[in-house]
Amino acid sequence: MVDMHTCTFCGEGLEPGTGKMFVRRDGSIFYFCSTKCQNNYKLGRAPRRVAWTKAGRKALGKE
């Protein structure tokens, strides 16, 4: 059984064998679909304030 993960930043689904897994020192696990998502997370941006993410579209009332 292959696990399907979602991107921690944008909320998109990850195909098996793609993306990056980032593990913090405290043991929390983050999955990123692209370097765009990974860099936005490192910059400290909130997904709900970025228009192209699922959380951002929901906050703007688009979905």
Side-chain angles (χ1 to χ4, degrees), residues 32-55:
F32 298 108
C33 62
S34 63
T35 54
K36 179 180 178 181
C37 292
Q38 187 176 7
N39 290 336
N40 276 298
Y41 176 77
K42 282 184 181 178
L43 287 171
R45 294 189 176 138
R48 67 184 173 279
R49 296 187 186 266
V50 182
W52 52 268
T53 62
K54 280 192 175 181

Side-chain angles (χ1 to χ4, degrees), residues 10-31:
C10 70
E12 294 294 320
L14 289 169
E15 293 289 327
T18 62
K20 286 185 181 180
M21 181 175 75
F22 174 68
V23 182
R24 272 205 242 168
R25 288 182 187 163
D26 63 357
S28 54
I29 301 172
F30 299 95
Y31 295 98

